[in-house]
Amino acid sequence: FTTFKNSKEKEFIYTNTIKNWASFLPHIQPVLFATFNNTPILDVARDNGWHVIPCPRVNYAGTPYLKDMYQAVLKRYDFHMSAFSNGDILYHGLIETLRATVEQFPKLNTTLVVGKRWNHQLNKDRSVYKNDPLWKPSKVKAVAQKGVSGLFRTDAEDYFFVTDDFPWKDVKDVVIGRPGYDNYMVAR
């Protein structure tokens, strides 16, 4: 699951995220926690098989609480693992990575899998992606293998897969996108 800002400027990358994550259906079920209503990006998500649900709780600035989103997913779905990912992350090999993780740990007990991103500078001329869509996992892999992107800060994590027995009752009310929230999760 993820959440998006109500931002026209980010619509291109959000659309690519939506299509990228939808490419892993039915192995994963993408969920968008909406903090806003009635925008085209919500329709794009629904049209691509995402479940769009209201964000359970936000702070004074409209930023979602991480724990509340996880708990909402756990109540709504019967998943052994759930994940939060930043809304601008594109994946390749996601299913293979998760399968390998499960194979290594046959009885996943209170497991947290984290990852960080490789940054890719988008071409200002977005038409270059028309014939070679950015969202396709094969394109994501090709860009990463070319080395044109760079590993983001070593102290930043961009996604968290957790097993359903993760001790959310012990987690503080942290909101996404703030400095250190990701390091706090790893420390937990």
Side-chain angles (χ1 to χ4, degrees), residues 108-167:
L108 287 178
N109 293 316
T110 315
T111 300
L112 169 67
V113 177
V114 299
K116 52 189 166 186
R117 71 179 181 261
W118 283 80
N119 280 349
H120 174 65
Q121 186 62 43
L122 291 175
N123 193 317
K124 289 181 183 178
D125 176 11
R126 304 288 166 85
S127 67
V128 301
Y129 300 110
K130 186 172 179 131
N131 294 327
D132 194 12
L134 185 61
W135 63 266
K136 288 188 174 184
S138 59
K139 173 70 172 186
V140 175
K141 183 176 182 178
V143 167
Q145 288 178 330
K146 283 182 185 175
V148 295
S149 43
L151 191 60
F152 192 57
R153 298 171 32 174
T154 58
D155 65 338
E157 291 80 31
D158 293 289
Y159 58 87
F160 309 91
F161 283 84
V162 299
T163 50
D164 57 3
D165 61 349
F166 194 80

Side-chain angles (χ1 to χ4, degrees), residues 12-43:
F12 175 77
I13 193 61
Y14 290 161
T15 299
N16 277 279
T17 299
I18 289 167
K19 291 180 177 184
N20 177 257
W21 294 16
S23 72
F24 299 110
L25 283 162
H27 304 289
I28 67 162
Q29 176 55 63
V31 174
L32 175 60
F33 282 105
T35 58
F36 50 87
N37 295 316
N38 302 323
T39 64
I41 203 68
L42 299 180
D43 292 332

